[in-house]
Amino acid sequence: MAYTAENWPITAALLQFPGVNAAGLHINDAPAAAWAEVLQEVKDAGFAHADLTDSWVRPGDLSPARIAEFQQTAKTVGIGIPVISAIRRSVIEAGNWEANLAYSHRTIDAAAELGCELVSFGLHQALTAEQQKQLWFWTVEGHQDPVGDKETWANAVTRLRELGRHAADVGVLLSLEMYEDTYLGTADSSVQLVQDIGLDNVGLNPDLGNLIRMHRPIEDWREMVAKTLPYSNYWHMKNYIRDEDVARDMYVAMPAPMDSGLINYREAFKLAISVGFQGILCTEHYGGDGLTVTAANQDYLRRHILPKTDGYALGRSQVAQGRQQPVATELATV
């Protein structure tokens, strides 16, 4: 049965919840009550599921006993954890790739223990000191993967394929998050990377918000959607207001609710369905009350964008889609 607006799994990103508390204790080492407090807040915002973003809890660094404790905490709260997003741990980062690769393997094992459907990885690296000084970190240049470096590209393919095979062995999908100035930073490069990896369970996370927010010329979002959605199996969704004055070489972007930004998600989702997309969705937002905006984004999707019945024509995806069975969820109350 194809997903509908009522039961399409939508997760809340946990970007707005810090990984270290006011006392300097990492959330991994906090009592389960601290985890429950955050998960309850997400549930109260209207979400049935959360994306376990590892800028908050790092499941790959939890002991088996604490993984079981986290799983029980989520169950007690009554919120699903179908996805882990592991960010800024690139498997081609110079000097750190071996540790990052090992962490990624542990994260896949943790995902299997938690009963997750999918893990999202990326090639983006830690924010630079200069980026951390900015109101919006994307307004200054960060790490860039070396363009045209065949050896580094081959390493990315080999190591991500290794992770994909591990994920397949434990029944988990792997998604690659698109991010500026990495090998997942353009539509063509992202598709080529998935094709070179060559595993059915490895697809794209077309987080196009990461690309349209850059204060410089960008690819047309419609072209990126058309190229990447046939290879996508998960979707971080957010939007940005954007203004351009090409004659003055001026480009400005700021976070916006999904219904108000540059990307027309009504148009994008019609194309997604036409190419067989049935992946989990994740709503994100930077700045302000991010959780309330992500909840409004979920409401926008369910009320206006997602199909109301399951009788729609679904195309055929180039990658495997989710194994999670549709579960009825209430519309978010915003």
Side-chain angles (χ1 to χ4, degrees):
M1 182 181 297
Y3 284 138
T4 67
E6 181 182 11
N7 59 30
W8 207 300
I10 300 177
T11 67
L14 303 181
L15 296 170
Q16 60 270 25
F17 297 104
V20 178
N21 67 15
L25 180 71
H26 195 278
I27 299 303
N28 271 37
D29 300 319
W35 299 341
E37 183 178 354
V38 167
L39 295 177
Q40 186 65 54
E41 190 173 349
V42 172
K43 183 181 179 183
D44 289 346
F47 286 95
H49 305 285
D51 175 312
L52 183 47
T53 317
D54 74 347
S55 56
W56 180 53
V57 169
R58 295 195 303 257
D61 287 340
L62 291 175
S63 68
R66 293 234 77 189
I67 289 175
E69 188 176 11
F70 187 92
Q71 186 177 41
Q72 182 58 50
T73 301
K75 182 178 180 181
T76 299
V77 171
I79 193 164
I81 306 291
V83 179
I84 297 172
S85 284
I87 59 176
R88 303 194 184 281
R89 300 295 289 264
S90 171
V91 296
I92 54 172
E93 181 180 356
N96 290 316
W97 72 266
E98 289 177 300
N100 290 347
L101 183 62
Y103 171 80
S104 299
H105 278 294
R106 296 197 304 273
T107 300
I108 291 170
D109 285 333
E113 288 296 316
L114 290 168
C116 297
E117 175 177 307
L118 180 144
V119 178
S120 177
F121 291 117
L123 293 175
H124 40 311
Q125 300 186 17
L127 297 176
T128 66
E130 189 62 30
Q131 284 181 306
Q132 293 177 37
K133 296 177 184 177
Q134 310 304 313
L135 174 61
W136 306 122
F137 63 82
W138 56 83
T139 60
V140 298
E141 187 176 286
H143 165 78
Q144 298 183 5
D145 285 342
V147 178
D149 187 322
K150 294 182 179 180
E151 181 179 359
T152 305
W153 177 274
N155 286 337
V157 171
T158 299
R159 293 164 192 169
L160 291 171
R161 184 186 292 138
E162 177 184 323
L163 293 176
R165 286 173 173 160
H166 178 186
D169 287 343
V170 295
V172 171
L173 298 178
L174 191 150
S175 198
L176 304 178
E177 180 182 353
M178 296 178 65
Y179 194 92
E180 72 267 11
D181 295 327
T182 70
Y183 292 147
L184 293 158
T186 69
D188 288 338
S189 179
S190 299
V191 169
Q192 188 63 59
L193 190 61
V194 168
Q195 290 176 337
D196 286 0
I197 292 168
L199 298 175
D200 289 342
N201 71 312
V202 178
L204 290 176
N205 171 357
D207 193 341
L208 303 185
N210 289 342
L211 307 181
I212 69 163
R213 70 188 177 193
M214 305 308 295
H215 286 201
R216 64 191 188 207
I218 59 172
E219 291 183 80
D220 186 284
W221 69 265
R222 294 176 180 84
E223 293 181 4
M224 290 193 286
V225 165
K227 290 177 179 179
T228 62
L229 262 297
Y231 294 88
S232 297
N233 57 7
Y234 183 46
W235 200 346
H236 281 175
M237 310 179 90
K238 57 180 177 283
N239 219 340
Y240 292 80
I241 291 175
R242 183 174 175 87
D243 188 30
E244 298 185 359
D245 187 338
V246 178
R248 292 180 174 83
D249 194 30
M250 184 192 76
Y251 306 89
V252 176
M254 291 175 285
M258 282 177 60
D259 62 349
S260 305
L262 178 67
I263 299 170
N264 179 349
Y265 278 99
R266 184 184 297 273
E267 180 179 338
F269 216 87
K270 288 178 181 177
L271 188 143
I273 288 174
S274 75
V275 295
F277 179 79
Q278 291 281 280
I280 297 171
L281 308 176
C282 175
T283 58
E284 297 184 309
H285 185 77
Y286 282 101
D289 184 353
L291 182 58
T292 293
V293 178
T294 57
N297 287 342
Q298 176 183 216
D299 187 66
Y300 161 71
L301 287 169
R302 294 204 190 279
R303 293 185 185 276
H304 302 295
I305 303 305
L306 300 176
K308 297 299 188 291
T309 65
D310 61 8
Y312 54 88
L314 183 66
R316 183 174 181 179
S317 176
Q318 299 298 307
V319 295
Q321 297 297 307
R323 59 180 170 79
Q324 178 170 303
Q325 295 301 310
V327 176
T329 59
E330 296 182 359
L331 292 179
T333 301
V334 181

